[in-house]
Amino acid sequence: MKSLKLFMALALTGALTLSAEEHLKSLNPAYFDKSTPASVDFYKHVNKGWQDAHPLTPEFARYGNFNILNDSSEIRVKNIVLNLGATNPQPGTVAFKVWTIYSQAMDSVRRNAEGAKPILADLKKIETTPHEGMEDLFLWMHGNYASPFFGAGPMEDLSNSKVYAMYVSGGGMGLGDRDYYLQNDKRNKEVREAYQKLIVKQMQNAGYSKKDANRIMKNVMKIETALADSAWTREQSRNIPAMYNPRSFEQLKQMYPNVNWDRFFIETMGIESPASVIVTELSSVAQANNLMGSLTDREIKDYYLWKYVAQAASALSDDFTNASFEFNKIMSGVEQQRPRWKRALGATEGAMGEAVGQLYVEKYFPESSKEYMLDLVENLRTALGKHIINLTWMSDDTKLNAIKKLNAFTVKIGYPDKWKDYTTLNIDPKLSYYENMHNVGMWHQAETYAKWGKPVDRTEWGMTPQTVNAYYNPLANEIVFPAAILQAPFFDPEASDAENYGGIGVVIGHEMTHGFDDQGCNFDAEGNMVNWWTPEDSEAFSKLTKGLVTQFDEIEVLPGLHANGQYTLGENIADQGGLRVSRTAFLDSQKKKGVDINSPEAKIDGYDPMQVYYMNYANIWAGNIRDEEIRNLTTGDVHSLGENRVNVTLRNIAPFFEAFGIKAGDKMYRPAEERVVIW
């Protein structure tokens, strides 16, 4: 383990170049709202003009700078795919498979003519299975990735992340979150009613009478509501240690006897029964077991019918996709379906994303951007080390472990070193679009199951290069930045250091501090779930996080609806940590280059560099959003709304007040004794 002294000796390398006279690149001053002072509403001060210039179109439930980058990425990927088609690729090649999926997704004439035909044989199989074949049917459903009642599969062992463990988890609910089934407020009832209409409509699209469709809906709601009743809350699901419940295979069979576990693993995954499994939500799997032993064949078949149709709908005719869209309108408030080419592109990337990504980086990702990012990451790593060392609430023993974890971070930028091999994926234009997409699903499922018994491959990526996002993976202790996010306003080699550190610098710091948030703190430098905190440090950390939870809980996002500070805690910790750490890295980079950021010469189009830094942070969250989507995200998203990621977070940061002269009595000001400082 490196000592604190040795770590802090790391040099700040590769700072971005500073031109003699800098101008704003990522920020557009025309969007600043001078009628709203920074001291009153900083988000509006920076973004009101952007919001006015980008009104929501019927296609979107929300639209922001992330969407602008995503639009750019989509156009690029579309051109890549169309160019593949223009080359008349040979059957069996990756280009042929990509082009076949895209062209079939675009071929609404064929899909509408086929209607529900591609799935009728499978629906008949469900309907005609006799009582003595119900166990076979259950295994067949899981083998076809529909996963009724619960889910199972290999994933890194939380206690030994170098090997795979077998997990059994709760699930089986089409609406995902338990509150949609159990809460009786106006919003949840509205969603429930829309879901019931969706089930009836889709089953009619599949050829069932209205009477039978209604029966199926009622049985589905009975089963999924029962599953919801035992499901964990959103807040409980963030308690990672509580979800780690190892059981021997014999214990698994005794606890949940209504599943033939020997057959389950052999016939759905093609593996021998594991010596042990990890059950995540014990109550949820117990409820699934109870239901499987108490429901009638008819009830179970109706549930299977819906699970099968639901997973198939997006690859069938317009009747199916239009019904899904009508439900989405209620969930998100979106008024118009995305253009068919965007939906086709999404399906293609979901099927063969890395094949497209390989072409994307060859054309659109210069190696110089990767080099810039590597330098920025090291600057941020050094800065976070300083913050850890200077913490007043953490003991030296825990600090040493934190620094060890920080030094062990793996950094992935742009694209994987090793690409997926799609040779064995069968895509045939003679098959229906649904059949080909089913082959895709089965291929990806087989790829997952094939990991069993092998060492964990740390070279894998969880996102494609063309994805506008980034992530931290605690089980690999890695931070990952796909190529597509490395664009303005996040990153621009021609922009000022202040803009880049306020954009991608904060993103880097955000992902790094995820390694130490309310979930990341459960994992050590090797990615293993090990408690490396002293009890006193854990208590101090918990006390600080409770203060942050309260700050967000107080925000009323819509009349009568408050933000969920506990559910969004990890992201809120990371936002604040990213801002603090990136600021330190920015100041260090300027000092190294001999730049006095307080001098008149350092101004950027009349703004102090620190003002530009905070303004570009606010700028990356610029966006518009519908009320329905606000409700939807507040229910199911671990991220706070963009406006709160700016205004609530910045009210804890004293240097922000200094940059804009914010003082006691101003709306954006928060007294020192009420501020929460974690990292």
Side-chain angles (χ1 to χ4, degrees):
M1 180 179 70
K2 294 182 180 179
S3 68
L4 296 179
K5 184 177 180 181
L6 179 60
F7 177 82
M8 293 314 302
L10 290 173
L12 287 169
T13 59
L16 297 175
T17 57
L18 184 72
S19 60
E21 182 180 354
E22 290 190 307
H23 298 281
L24 296 174
K25 298 286 186 181
S26 297
L27 283 162
N28 185 349
Y31 289 154
F32 300 165
D33 181 16
K34 296 180 180 179
S35 66
T36 303
S39 60
V40 174
D41 184 335
F42 191 66
Y43 181 84
K44 184 178 179 182
H45 172 73
V46 176
N47 296 323
K48 180 61 165 60
W50 189 101
Q51 291 176 304
D52 292 343
H54 299 85
L56 282 172
T57 59
E59 176 187 342
F60 291 98
R62 57 172 166 162
Y63 191 83
N65 267 322
F66 272 90
N67 299 91
I68 289 179
L69 289 190
N70 191 63
D71 288 348
S72 171
S73 180
E74 280 186 325
I75 292 295
R76 289 174 169 181
V77 171
K78 179 184 180 182
N79 290 335
I80 288 171
V81 173
L82 292 179
N83 287 337
L84 288 179
T87 65
N88 192 27
Q90 293 301 303
T93 63
V94 167
F96 179 84
K97 294 173 184 179
V98 169
W99 175 245
T100 298
I101 293 171
Y102 179 79
S103 58
Q104 283 197 323
M106 290 293 292
D107 189 357
S108 60
V109 174
R110 177 179 173 181
R111 286 163 60 189
N112 288 338
E114 290 172 340
K117 288 180 182 178
I119 64 170
L120 292 182
D122 287 338
L123 297 184
K124 184 178 180 180
K125 176 183 177 68
I126 296 171
E127 285 283 13
T128 59
T129 297
H131 176 73
E132 58 272 18
M134 290 300 288
E135 183 176 289
D136 294 335
L137 183 61
F138 167 76
L139 297 173
W140 178 81
M141 286 291 293
H142 267 273
N144 280 274
Y145 69 92
S147 299
F149 293 111
F150 62 85
M155 190 184 81
E156 294 95 326
D157 191 326
L158 297 184
S159 291
N160 181 7
S161 61
K162 293 181 179 179
V163 302
Y164 288 105
M166 185 60 65
Y167 288 80
V168 176
S169 305
M173 300 179 294
L175 287 173
D177 190 84
R178 69 195 303 273
D179 285 359
Y180 287 130
Y181 297 91
L182 305 179
Q183 299 297 321
N184 287 314
D185 58 277
K186 181 181 178 182
R187 171 59 178 171
N188 286 308
K189 289 170 86 172
E190 180 184 43
V191 170
R192 227 168 20 242
E193 290 170 1
Y195 184 54
Q196 292 169 7
K197 290 180 181 177
L198 172 67
I199 296 171
V200 171
K201 182 62 176 176
Q202 296 292 47
M203 297 315 300
Q204 288 181 291
N205 287 336
Y208 285 84
S209 68
K210 186 173 184 179
K211 179 182 178 181
D212 287 341
N214 273 289
R215 184 203 70 236
I216 291 169
M217 178 271 293
K218 290 177 182 178
N219 284 333
V220 168
M221 293 305 296
K222 173 184 176 179
I223 294 170
E224 294 190 2
T225 302
L227 291 169
D229 192 49
S230 64
W232 285 22
T233 65
R234 298 186 295 276
E235 295 79 13
Q236 288 174 319
S237 68
R238 291 192 62 79
N239 187 347
I240 300 298
M243 300 182 78
Y244 189 76
N245 303 291
R247 297 291 187 270
S248 70
F249 187 65
E250 289 304 314
Q251 287 176 317
L252 181 74
K253 292 197 288 187
Q254 291 170 9
M255 292 166 62
Y256 312 119
N258 291 319
V259 178
N260 186 329
W261 292 104
D262 288 292
R263 291 191 65 195
F264 180 84
F265 290 110
I266 292 171
E267 297 184 30
T268 68
M269 299 186 194
I271 66 173
E272 293 298 321
S273 300
S276 64
V277 299
I278 297 167
V279 183
T280 54
E281 308 93 342
L282 292 165
S283 59
S284 297
V285 182
Q287 181 73 306
N289 176 73
N290 294 337
L291 289 168
M292 293 177 68
S294 61
L295 295 168
T296 66
D297 287 358
R298 181 70 267 167
E299 289 170 327
I300 292 175
K301 285 183 178 182
D302 284 350
Y303 176 55
Y304 289 173
L305 290 168
W306 168 239
K307 293 292 288 184
Y308 197 94
V309 170
Q311 61 85 28
S314 64
L316 297 172
S317 68
D318 285 347
D319 286 341
F320 287 91
T321 56
N322 290 341
S324 296
F325 173 69
E326 290 301 313
F327 173 69
N328 191 36
K329 286 168 66 174
I330 301 299
M331 288 294 288
S332 66
V334 66
E335 298 174 357
Q336 179 178 300
Q337 281 204 75
R338 299 172 73 226
R340 190 178 299 276
W341 72 265
K342 288 189 177 182
R343 287 179 276 149
L345 207 62
T348 306
E349 291 196 80
M352 300 182 68
E354 281 199 16
V356 177
Q358 189 170 1
L359 298 172
Y360 181 95
V361 297
E362 288 174 2
K363 189 170 184 178
Y364 296 113
F365 187 65
E367 196 65 24
S368 58
S369 292
K370 187 169 187 174
E371 293 168 1
Y372 272 139
M373 278 292 292
L374 286 169
D375 291 338
L376 280 170
V377 168
E378 291 312 310
N379 291 355
L380 267 292
R381 195 197 303 253
T382 301
L384 179 52
K386 288 184 176 182
H387 280 251
I388 291 171
I389 290 170
N390 291 321
L391 290 174
T392 58
W393 58 268
M394 182 180 280
S395 69
D396 287 345
D397 287 344
T398 304
K399 285 179 182 179
L400 284 168
N401 284 319
I403 292 296
K404 180 181 179 181
K405 181 171 184 176
L406 178 62
N407 285 342
F409 274 164
T410 297
V411 181
K412 295 179 178 178
I413 294 172
Y415 52 89
D417 294 326
K418 181 175 66 177
W419 298 96
K420 286 185 184 294
D421 181 358
Y422 294 97
T423 302
T424 58
L425 174 58
N426 179 35
I427 301 295
D428 184 347
K430 295 179 181 178
L431 299 176
S432 69
Y433 177 53
Y434 171 72
E435 288 172 307
N436 277 319
M437 292 305 288
H438 185 266
N439 286 344
V440 167
M442 296 298 289
W443 185 88
H444 282 286
Q445 180 172 274
E447 181 190 36
T448 298
Y449 293 162
K451 295 176 180 179
W452 183 249
K454 298 176 182 176
V456 171
D457 183 359
R458 292 286 179 93
T459 68
E460 282 191 322
W461 277 50
M463 290 179 178
T464 63
Q466 61 273 29
T467 302
V468 182
N469 213 327
Y471 68 92
Y472 169 74
N473 176 9
L475 292 171
N477 195 28
E478 64 182 8
I479 47 176
V480 186
F481 306 95
I485 199 174
L486 304 180
Q487 305 175 65
F490 296 94
F491 174 74
D492 183 351
E494 301 300 319
S496 66
D497 287 356
E499 289 169 280
N500 279 316
Y501 277 93
I504 198 64
V506 176
V507 173
I508 295 169
H510 174 106
E511 300 306 336
M512 282 185 172
T513 53
H514 266 315
F516 309 93
D517 66 16
D518 63 317
Q519 291 189 324
C521 69
N522 293 300
F523 298 87
D524 67 7
E526 301 299 320
N528 299 322
M529 191 169 67
V530 174
N531 183 8
W532 49 273
W533 296 61
T534 67
E536 295 78 13
D537 291 335
S538 294
E539 184 178 348
F541 179 71
S542 179
K543 183 177 180 180
L544 288 170
T545 61
K546 286 178 181 177
L548 201 59
V549 168
T550 299
Q551 287 183 7
F552 281 84
D553 280 347
E554 291 173 346
I555 304 300
E556 191 174 31
V557 295
L558 288 174
L561 178 65
H562 285 253
N564 188 332
Q566 185 62 49
Y567 189 50
T568 58
L569 178 59
E571 297 299 330
N572 297 334
I573 293 171
D575 280 342
Q576 187 187 140
L579 275 162
R580 292 184 185 281
V581 173
S582 185
R583 174 182 178 273
T584 297
F586 169 62
L587 294 176
D588 286 346
S589 72
Q590 302 307 287
K591 183 178 180 180
K592 181 178 176 64
K593 293 180 349 186
V595 176
D596 179 3
I597 66 167
N598 297 312
S599 68
E601 292 78 16
K603 287 185 179 292
I604 306 169
D605 287 344
Y607 295 96
D608 292 337
M610 285 314 309
Q611 291 179 321
V612 171
Y613 171 85
Y614 288 115
M615 287 192 293
N616 200 38
Y617 172 71
N619 175 43
I620 66 177
W621 298 113
N624 287 305
I625 185 169
R626 301 183 192 277
D627 286 354
E628 294 89 344
E629 184 71 349
I630 289 176
R631 290 186 181 277
N632 188 35
L633 294 178
T634 301
T635 298
D637 192 354
V638 295
H639 301 85
S640 294
L641 299 174
E643 180 179 353
N644 296 331
R645 298 183 78 163
V646 175
N647 285 350
V648 181
T649 301
L650 287 175
R651 292 184 66 215
N652 289 297
I653 299 178
F656 164 71
F657 300 150
E658 296 167 7
F660 291 92
I662 297 171
K663 58 188 184 304
D666 292 336
K667 190 174 179 182
M668 285 296 300
Y669 184 82
R670 190 187 299 277
E673 64 274 13
E674 296 179 11
R675 298 172 204 160
V676 175
V677 179
I678 299 177
W679 299 109

